[in-house]
Amino acid sequence: MSDPTLHLAVALDGLGWHPAAWRLSCAEPTAPLHAHWWSGLAAEAERGTLDLLTIEDSLALQSSRPDGPDGRTDQLRGRLDAVQIAARIAPSTRHIGLVPTTSVTHTEPFHLSTAVATLDHVSGGRAGWRPRVSGTSAEARHFGRRDIPGFDPHRLDEPATVRLVDELFAEATDAVEVVRWLWDSWQDDAVIRDVATGRFIDRDRLHYIDFTGRWFSVKGPSIVPRPPQGQPPVAVLAHAATAYAFAAGQADIVFVTPADAGQAAEIVTEVRAAEVAAGRTGPPLRILADLGVVLDETPTLARRRRDRLDDLDDTEHASDAAIFTGTPALLADLVADWHRAGVDGFRLRPAVLPDDLTTIVRALVPALRDRGLFRHRYPGGTLRDLLGLPEPVNRYAAPSPA
Amino acid sequence: MPKQIILAAHFPGVNNTTVWSDPASGSQIDFASFVHLARTAERGKFDFLFLAEGLRLREQRGQIHDLDVVGRPDTLTVLAALAGVTTHLGLAGTLNTTFREPYELARQLASLDHLSGGRAAWNVVTSSDAFTGENFRRGGYLDRSLRYQRAAEFVQTARELWESWAPDAVVADRAAGRYLDPADAGAFAHHGDQFDIAGHFTVPRSPQVHPVILQAGDSPEGREFAASSADAIFSRHGTLEDGQQFYRDVKSRLARYGREPDHLKIIPGVTFVLGDTAAEAQERAHHIRRQQVSPQTAILLLEQVWNRDLSGYDPDGPLPAEDPRPDDDSIIKGRTRLTDDPIVTARRWRALAEAKKLGIRDLIIEVTGRQSFIGTPQHVAESMDHFVQTDAADGFILVPHLTPGGLDEFVDRVVPLLQDRGVFRTEYTGTTLREHLGLPAARPLPVVAA
């Protein structure tokens, strides 16, 4: 059997991605406030030899509106900090990548860099990071440091909105840039513990990054020695050209949202073009398709589950990503189909947790293994290893003599 | 029942107290080191583990300081991971208010409190330091006089956020389809000089509601801030008399904030050296002092008083004949200076060196950082108990000199003696850090000092 290269991730959020998930989940409605909820999900995902799990986060309360709070009382609200969750479950997991989401709009690149580097240290090289932008005026008011005017979610092509999005992504680009330079600001061999000279470090192997930009300046070096992976993988969720460009320039993984195999192929072409435009020299982006999943033993049962969820929420659930409703075997067909169309893998969004994750692990994963598409066991190593990303060269390391 | 002692463990830091040249010294970064110290502390039924914070590497003579341990992991991330390998131990982190915003830090701490089942604590520090600010958006400059104003308003704002979800806001009634009651759960508005923010907090009320607040400043403003806003003070008063005076002063400030003397715990940071006999302990103490003060470190510590480059001096030779230059730009950055009146200190040191015939290194060993408790386990247990029973402290933050095994001996040999004396718990009786410390459940929002 050839070495399977399909990558599978699970996106964790609350009690699942369907707004009515909390009504049907077998778990307590407040379970996401407890550590054992997250360690249980992580253990399940690890049983399925998944590459990584992501943890959603935002600097505002969940909302059914993209531009601010919605005042609803019938859906799950309240959320813990994603980096804290990822760190909390690191000691109880051994193989799976831990990829928290953080905003880069109102936060400090220095803190983000040291937090993800530390997650990499405490997890033995399994940290990833999904930076996102915060575009609502509600989030800006939580910080009170600048005004963001807000936007009409139905008119994203308004010039002011286009300008706002461009600015947010330009700032995000600087933020990821700074985070990455800080990760490199300690060379791997900086700690020398040389008793003869009394020196703990060789200060020539530590580097000021001296970054100056429009939104912030950061001197460096980092306070945290270089993380075990050197550069923990950076993942970006992207729906359109601006974000594809951001991913092509800054990320290792891009989560995309095609509606079908044809669109998947088109997006792959678009992402590859963005890589060329960005002058990308490193390994190509790992392109993972985001897909909501409602799974059951038969197509009818799955349809019924989804209808029940939609009924409870009084509306047919739609999202930024396509939603698959059916059996694990049919989902395996889709996975194979889109994989042939060029995506490297999937980030599955379970409609209800833990139910749909359990089905992914107990039924979808075996079906993919049977088709020779997915690993049977973890090979051991870092998240970068799992994703097939080569060891990154420290940009401060002296070039090896020719 | 005699007064019960509070015990906390300080993860060894990045000054010369931490000995890295010893063969038993392990990594200050590997998570295994943190696990070892945390589990040792929990085995000893300690109240909490304490982490310091660094936001910029120290510099001396314009270069990154390389003689002490350099680098440490991010405080909050390590604490969250430690919550996964401990069950009762409190988890205290030092977190600077100058380079953070209340919304973000309050949600991180509330998250830690949830994920640890009510064991989070926050050591509130502020900085007016533009040097550190070079790593941050705000650039960092904060007028010295505004430091405590920002800290107090930061804590006040965090408390408002922590209370923004009513205790019964999450009803989660599946049958009725109602998750929240009322609709504005988490709503807050704070309009102050330092922070003008409003909206909705994301984290429902955490087990302690308010994570435990620690404070470490010793100035009159610092003491007042602690009296108004803190649950515990990490103090630095090493002698019995100093400790008692500080204790009386701080506890007397509580009444004006409507607080009981028992609601603010005073816990000095202390060091210890054990031996089978008093003489052996003294010998070990001296050996550790020599490890802490390498020849290079001796010169560097001397420079911190003289405030000029002394790299040409022989560590075993005499002290400089010239006086310090305290008015020049400080040669040390990222850290407070060693002493307040360098000229007086220098004259005293010179006199001592001449009287005892000490070279620079031996002088530095003599005058800096002597360990707080030196002796047999019996003697150390008695001394600590005496400190607490005579109101020089409510307990101690122990600072081991070795990572990660520096606390092992204390837990194995001193803790049982404290337990025998009936002044330290033999089992945890509560689950939250507030319960361990005997603090009241989250107290109402404080009145900020004018």
Side-chain angles (χ1 to χ4, degrees):
Chain A
M1 188 182 75
S2 66
D3 190 24
T5 55
L6 181 79
H7 300 291
L8 269 191
V10 61
L12 302 181
D13 188 22
L15 286 164
W17 284 72
H18 195 287
W22 73 276
R23 309 281 298 276
L24 287 193
S25 167
C26 60
E28 281 296 309
T30 54
L33 298 177
H34 299 280
H36 59 79
W37 166 254
W38 299 98
S39 49
L41 295 176
E44 182 66 20
E46 205 163 53
R47 270 193 284 279
T49 62
L50 267 52
D51 291 74
L52 60 93
L53 60 84
T54 62
I55 303 164
E56 297 303 302
D57 204 359
S58 140
L59 294 173
L61 210 50
Q62 299 97 319
S63 175
S64 54
R65 301 162 52 112
D67 57 343
D70 61 5
R72 288 179 73 152
T73 59
D74 62 332
Q75 297 180 351
L76 184 146
R77 293 289 181 267
R79 180 142 67 182
L80 304 183
D81 179 81
V83 175
Q84 291 281 291
I85 293 171
R88 174 62 182 75
I89 60 180
S92 67
T93 50
R94 285 191 54 205
H95 299 286
I96 195 163
L98 305 170
V99 185
T101 304
T102 77
S103 172
V104 294
T105 305
H106 301 289
T107 50
E108 291 284 358
F110 192 88
H111 290 318
L112 294 171
S113 177
T114 57
V116 178
T118 301
L119 180 61
D120 207 39
H121 282 288
V122 301
S123 65
R126 293 183 290 121
W129 175 41
R130 178 163 92 79
R132 61 171 296 182
V133 300
S134 299
T136 67
S137 56
E139 289 160 295
R141 277 198 305 277
H142 292 159
F143 287 81
R145 299 280 302 272
R146 62 168 119 169
D147 288 324
I148 289 182
F151 55 87
D152 179 349
H154 302 294
R155 305 198 47 191
L156 290 173
D157 52 354
E158 290 252 331
T161 302
V162 171
R163 218 164 30 241
L164 172 65
V165 169
D166 284 348
E167 289 219 352
L168 290 170
F169 276 94
E171 181 183 0
T173 300
D174 278 7
V176 178
E177 189 74 14
V178 163
V179 166
R180 287 188 176 281
W181 279 99
L182 286 170
W183 285 339
D184 274 349
S185 65
W186 287 59
Q187 290 178 232
D188 286 330
D189 51 2
V191 174
I192 54 171
R193 292 183 182 243
D194 184 38
V195 178
T197 58
R199 293 179 308 147
F200 182 79
I201 48 158
D202 177 353
R203 60 162 76 104
D204 292 338
R205 299 177 198 166
L206 265 55
H207 304 275
Y208 295 104
I209 71 165
D210 281 320
F211 179 91
T212 305
R214 192 176 141 200
W215 293 274
F216 42 77
S217 300
V218 177
K219 179 81 182 169
S222 179
I223 199 83
V224 185
R226 192 156 187 255
Q229 296 183 97
Q231 295 279 323
V234 174
V236 167
L237 170 62
H239 304 96
T242 308
Y244 295 153
F246 173 51
Q250 300 296 332
D252 302 287
I253 307 166
V254 61
F255 302 133
V256 297
T257 53
D260 53 41
Q263 229 184 64
E266 286 165 23
I267 290 175
V268 168
T269 306
E270 209 178 331
V271 167
R272 297 300 175 218
E275 290 181 327
V276 173
R280 187 181 177 94
T281 53
L285 280 165
R286 300 294 181 259
I287 305 175
L288 271 56
D290 265 25
L291 188 66
V293 293
V294 187
L295 299 172
D296 216 317
E297 285 170 23
T298 69
T300 312
L301 286 172
R303 185 71 243 173
R304 221 176 270 165
R305 261 187 90 218
R306 175 150 176 202
D307 288 345
R308 178 124 186 263
L309 286 163
D310 285 349
D311 283 349
L312 286 169
D313 199 47
D314 280 335
T315 173
E316 190 179 335
H317 177 50
S319 114
D320 60 321
I323 300 172
F324 171 87
T325 306
T327 65
L330 288 168
L331 179 55
D333 289 344
L334 180 151
V335 166
D337 198 21
W338 292 23
H339 190 37
R340 274 192 301 274
V343 302
D344 299 302
F346 289 79
R347 182 174 76 138
L348 301 176
R349 304 174 176 183
V352 179
L353 285 167
D355 314 46
D356 289 296
L357 173 60
T358 310
T359 309
I360 289 168
V361 169
R362 314 281 164 108
L364 173 68
V365 165
L368 294 171
R369 284 174 179 159
D370 286 348
R371 297 173 193 215
L373 281 172
F374 195 56
R375 71 176 68 88
H376 287 252
R377 60 191 65 81
Y378 285 111
T382 66
L383 176 55
R384 287 187 73 92
D385 293 338
L386 220 43
L387 293 167
L389 296 168
E391 199 173 312
V393 176
N394 189 326
R395 55 198 95 184
Y396 288 107
S400 48
Chain B
M1 192 165 81
K3 204 170 145 192
Q4 295 294 297
I5 297 177
I6 292 165
L7 286 180
H10 189 306
F11 191 87
V14 296
N15 55 41
N16 73 307
T17 307
T18 305
V19 172
W20 56 260
S21 57
D22 193 283
S25 159
S27 167
Q28 87 283 17
I29 297 296
D30 286 354
F31 186 52
S33 294
F34 291 87
V35 173
H36 182 106
L37 189 75
R39 286 191 171 152
T40 305
E42 190 160 84
R43 179 162 62 83
K45 314 296 176 200
F46 273 43
D47 291 87
F48 61 93
L49 176 87
F50 181 95
L51 297 186
E53 178 184 54
L55 298 175
R56 178 148 180 202
L57 301 181
R58 286 161 54 197
E59 291 181 8
Q60 190 147 336
R61 298 182 206 136
Q63 288 187 297
I64 291 168
H65 176 62
D66 59 1
L67 301 182
D68 295 328
V69 169
V70 180
R72 47 183 149 199
D74 173 63
T75 301
L76 281 162
T77 311
V78 170
L79 292 179
L82 286 175
V85 297
T86 53
T87 55
H88 288 79
L89 187 68
L91 302 164
T94 303
L95 297 154
N96 198 309
T97 61
T98 308
F99 308 111
R100 289 188 172 80
E101 297 298 327
Y103 190 86
E104 188 187 21
L105 183 55
R107 74 188 293 273
Q108 288 167 324
L109 284 164
S111 298
L112 178 63
D113 205 44
H114 276 291
L115 293 168
S116 64
R119 297 188 279 137
W122 169 27
N123 179 35
V124 182
V125 298
T126 55
S127 167
S128 58
D129 179 357
F131 172 77
T132 306
E134 286 181 346
N135 282 334
F136 297 96
R137 281 179 190 263
R138 74 174 277 131
Y141 185 75
L142 183 66
D143 193 84
R144 262 195 93 75
S145 63
L146 292 177
R147 284 169 67 207
Y148 280 104
Q149 192 183 322
R150 182 174 173 96
E153 194 177 321
F154 199 120
V155 172
Q156 167 81 13
T157 309
R159 288 189 196 279
E160 289 164 13
L161 295 169
W162 290 330
E163 292 189 0
S164 64
W165 287 66
D168 50 2
V170 178
V171 289
D173 182 341
R174 280 191 169 120
R178 198 164 174 80
Y179 194 85
L180 288 186
D181 183 25
D184 67 344
F188 70 93
H190 177 98
H191 305 293
D193 292 339
Q194 291 288 325
F195 308 105
D196 188 357
I197 60 176
H200 291 81
F201 193 51
T202 67
V203 186
R205 200 167 271 236
S206 74
Q208 294 187 107
V209 188
H210 297 178
V212 170
I213 305 277
L214 287 95
Q215 197 280 134
D218 192 29
S219 63
E221 297 94 323
R223 294 180 187 201
E224 208 57 37
F225 170 56
S228 75
S229 303
D231 299 302
I233 299 187
F234 178 2
S235 72
R236 310 219 172 248
H237 295 273
T239 70
L240 194 69
E241 296 70 30
D242 281 359
Q244 287 168 336
Q245 201 177 9
F246 180 77
Y247 193 99
R248 273 195 304 274
D249 176 79
V250 171
K251 298 258 179 178
S252 74
R253 294 172 191 253
L254 290 168
R256 82 188 71 151
Y257 301 99
R259 305 180 66 194
E260 301 290 322
D262 207 28
H263 293 175
L264 177 63
K265 306 296 183 184
I266 295 174
I267 2 185
V270 298
T271 52
F272 60 91
V273 183
L274 305 178
D276 289 340
T277 64
E280 190 200 310
Q282 287 296 342
E283 213 169 285
R284 284 182 77 188
H286 188 71
H287 174 68
I288 292 165
R289 292 292 300 133
R290 285 193 76 77
Q291 290 181 313
Q292 289 169 332
V293 184
S294 68
Q296 296 86 351
T297 296
I299 296 294
L300 224 73
L301 291 176
L302 199 69
E303 287 181 342
Q304 290 175 14
V305 174
W306 260 257
N307 199 35
R308 62 195 181 84
D309 186 344
L310 302 174
S311 53
Y313 279 74
D314 175 3
D316 294 320
L319 271 66
E322 290 173 57
D323 274 341
R325 297 178 190 155
D327 298 331
D328 289 7
D329 262 6
S330 176
I331 66 159
I332 176 166
K333 304 250 195 243
R335 189 176 178 202
T336 43
R337 294 257 293 272
L338 202 61
T339 169
D340 284 331
D341 192 346
I343 303 224
V344 174
T345 304
R347 289 186 181 152
R348 197 175 66 238
W349 286 9
R350 241 190 248 117
L352 186 66
E354 274 162 33
K356 290 196 165 185
K357 307 265 178 286
L358 300 175
I360 289 172
R361 184 182 181 198
D362 287 330
L363 181 275
I364 293 288
I365 289 171
E366 181 83 13
V367 296
T368 65
R370 183 182 295 280
Q371 295 92 344
S372 324
F373 296 98
I374 304 171
T376 62
Q378 194 69 42
H379 172 79
V380 169
E382 278 170 20
S383 307
M384 288 185 144
D385 190 18
H386 183 64
F387 240 79
V388 170
Q389 302 309 331
T390 58
D391 286 347
D394 293 314
F396 306 94
I397 297 182
L398 300 178
V399 189
H401 73 281
L402 279 181
T403 305
L407 194 66
D408 298 5
E409 214 184 358
F410 186 92
V411 165
D412 291 334
R413 303 184 69 186
V414 180
V415 166
L417 298 174
L418 294 172
Q419 290 167 333
D420 288 348
R421 300 175 79 87
V423 294
F424 190 63
R425 70 173 68 81
T426 53
E427 291 299 336
Y428 289 106
T429 52
T431 56
T432 69
L433 178 55
R434 282 190 176 277
E435 287 165 352
H436 300 340
L437 295 173
L439 290 167
R443 58 199 186 74
L445 292 172
V447 183
V448 178

